[in-house]
């Protein structure tokens, strides 16, 4: 592992610790921790449920964490995900294999495994498999949108050496400050360009460049999407081009640009659950999901 990635992980980790300092598991949430969904010791997940709905079947949110493909795990998303459970959902919060130790598409393979796990373990954890939703932040938005393409565009699965073992499409998704075309010209986004060298097996591979560009794979049938960015998000141009693509294929979506007059909202501000604008965003995304519950 390079010194650059080591320092990046350390720096983001300190920021996440400061963001969540003092937070504890809420009294109204039950949690099931460190459940294996694969053979690698990284492939573990947590399930969070509102206690008030114990033993009841619940709609599910699968959360795909951010971190530039190289950082993060379920621990740094636990309080954010538990706050979503407090809104009436069962929430699945998982760790996936990171680059550069595991190159693309390892994280996408892990995401497929998690959705398989949710369906196969629905009775044990009270998951309503008719109402499975998902959200992804930053690089997690990239992974989730590629997964959604796999569910709705058979040609993408043909290029990859894996696929879901069943017909499945998330009921609706939320994509927060995500990356969709990693090669989109953006003078403010040298970080993404640097990280690609860690994620890809070959920076010059036309196949990998094609596969990792979500815009190449979005077709009619892509799930309804709540997509958002903010005034301080260095990836805000990515959300604009995603909205254009979703319009082209007639996908239902909501595009929110959070830009309060007095505050600069940074990248994935929604994870800071004590921030009032994060609470507003998370409320809106959960309301969006509820529109699609049968």
């Amino acid at each position: 592992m390079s010194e650059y990635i080591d320092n990046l992980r350390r720096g983001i980790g300190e920021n996440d610790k400061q963001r969540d300092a003092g937070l504890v598991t809420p009294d109204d949430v039950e949690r099931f921790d460190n459940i294996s969904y694969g053979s690698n010791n990284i492939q573990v997940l947590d399930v969070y449920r509102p206690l008030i709905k114990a033993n009841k079947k619940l709609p599910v949110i699968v959360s795909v964490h951010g971190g530039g493909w190289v950082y993060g795990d379920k621990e740094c998303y636990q309080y954010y995900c538990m706050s979503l459970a407090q809104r009436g959902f069962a929430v699945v919060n998982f760790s996936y294999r990171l680059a550069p130790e595991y190159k693309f598409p390892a994280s996408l393979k892990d995401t497929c495994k998690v959705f398989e796990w949710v369906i196969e373990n629905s009775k044990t954890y009270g998951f309503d498999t008719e109402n499975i939703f998902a959200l992804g932040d930053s690089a997690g938005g990239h992974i989730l949108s590629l997964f959604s393409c796999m569910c709705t565009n058979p040609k993408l699965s043909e290029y990859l050496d894996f696929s879901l073992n069943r017909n499945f499409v998330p009921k609706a998704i939320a994509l927060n400050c995500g990356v969709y075309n990693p090669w989109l010209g953006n003078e403010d986004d040298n970080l993404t360009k640097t990280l690609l060298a860690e994620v890809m097996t070959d920076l010059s591979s036309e196949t990998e460049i094609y596969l990792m560009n979500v815009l190449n794979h979005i077709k009619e049938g892509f799930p309804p999407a709540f997509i958002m960015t903010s005034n301080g998000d260095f990836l805000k141009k990515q959300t604009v081009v995603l909205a254009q693509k979703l319009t082209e294929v007639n996908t239902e979506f909501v595009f929110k640009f959070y830009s309060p007059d007095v505050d600069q909202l940074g990248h994935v501000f929604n994870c800071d659950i004590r921030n009032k604008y994060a609470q507003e965003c998370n409320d809106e995304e959960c309301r969006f999901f509820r529109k699609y519950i049968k």
Side-chain angles (χ1 to χ4, degrees):
M1 182 176 62
S2 70
E3 183 179 355
Y4 174 81
I5 294 300
D6 189 46
N7 290 336
L8 182 69
R9 287 175 175 174
R10 187 179 300 109
I12 300 176
E14 286 302 317
N15 288 338
D16 283 350
K17 287 178 183 177
Q18 291 177 20
R19 178 196 67 198
D20 293 341
L23 294 176
V24 297
T25 299
D27 291 337
D28 57 353
V29 171
E30 62 176 341
R31 57 186 297 167
F32 306 88
D33 294 341
N34 300 317
I35 305 163
S36 295
Y37 67 87
S39 58
N40 189 299
N41 60 7
I42 296 170
Q43 294 170 320
V44 290
L45 58 81
D46 296 347
V47 175
Y48 313 127
R49 291 177 49 97
L51 269 174
I52 196 171
K53 305 225 174 160
N55 302 318
K56 292 184 179 179
K57 187 186 292 187
L58 292 176
V60 185
I61 298 174
V62 176
S63 171
V64 188
H65 72 74
W69 305 284
V70 303
Y71 163 83
D73 55 26
K74 64 184 180 63
E75 309 309 324
C76 65
Y77 262 58
Q78 59 180 317
Y79 300 111
Y80 167 62
C81 286
M82 284 189 284
S83 77
L84 299 175
Q86 289 177 303
R87 291 168 166 88
F89 294 83
V91 180
V92 177
N93 170 28
F94 71 100
S95 300
Y96 54 80
R97 291 172 295 165
L98 301 172
E101 293 89 343
Y102 300 93
K103 299 289 189 177
F104 176 83
S107 57
L108 183 56
K109 286 184 179 181
D110 288 357
T111 300
C112 285
K113 281 180 174 289
V114 168
F115 279 93
E116 292 278 6
W117 182 93
V118 168
I119 294 168
E120 291 170 0
N121 293 272
S122 59
K123 290 184 180 179
T124 302
Y125 296 98
F127 299 145
D128 180 358
T129 56
E130 295 298 313
N131 293 293
I132 299 176
F133 304 92
L135 50 78
D137 302 315
S138 193
H142 177 258
I143 297 164
L144 175 57
S145 53
L146 275 180
F147 170 79
S148 299
C149 290
M150 287 184 65
C151 296
T152 54
N153 182 355
K155 289 185 178 180
L156 177 56
S157 292
E158 291 175 8
Y159 277 102
L160 299 165
D161 63 352
F162 63 96
S163 64
L164 270 76
N165 295 324
R166 64 189 78 240
N167 292 325
F168 170 78
V169 181
K171 206 67 175 291
I173 61 176
L175 301 170
N176 304 316
C177 304
V179 183
Y180 311 106
N181 175 5
W183 292 271
L184 178 69
N186 188 337
E187 63 277 9
D188 300 321
D189 186 20
N190 291 323
L191 176 60
T192 299
K193 298 171 186 176
T194 302
L195 292 175
L196 287 172
E198 306 289 344
V199 177
M200 298 173 65
T201 56
D202 180 359
L203 269 176
S204 63
S205 168
E206 292 185 5
T207 299
E208 283 192 81
I209 291 170
Y210 175 78
L211 288 175
M212 291 185 68
N213 186 344
V214 175
L215 304 183
N216 290 332
H217 313 298
I218 293 177
K219 304 294 182 185
E220 188 174 351
F222 192 84
F226 186 109
I227 62 176
M228 76 82 166
T229 184
S230 65
N231 54 2
D233 178 20
F234 69 97
L235 292 176
K236 58 173 112 20
K237 291 182 181 179
Q238 294 276 342
T239 304
V240 173
V241 296
L242 176 64
Q244 292 169 344
K245 184 64 179 183
L246 295 178
T247 300
E248 288 176 17
V249 300
N250 296 314
T251 290
E252 182 179 352
F253 71 94
V254 170
F255 181 2
K256 290 300 297 282
F257 181 74
Y258 291 92
S259 181
D261 293 336
V262 295
D263 290 295
Q264 186 86 348
L265 296 178
H267 186 60
V268 296
F269 71 92
N270 55 298
C271 294
D272 182 3
I273 63 172
R274 288 180 282 211
N275 181 297
K276 65 179 181 179
Y277 301 108
Q279 294 169 12
E280 176 187 336
C281 173
N282 297 334
D283 283 342
E284 289 191 287
E285 292 189 346
C286 287
R287 282 197 295 270
F288 179 78
F289 289 160
R290 289 192 192 97
K291 286 171 44 181
Y292 299 94
I293 294 176
K294 290 183 179 179

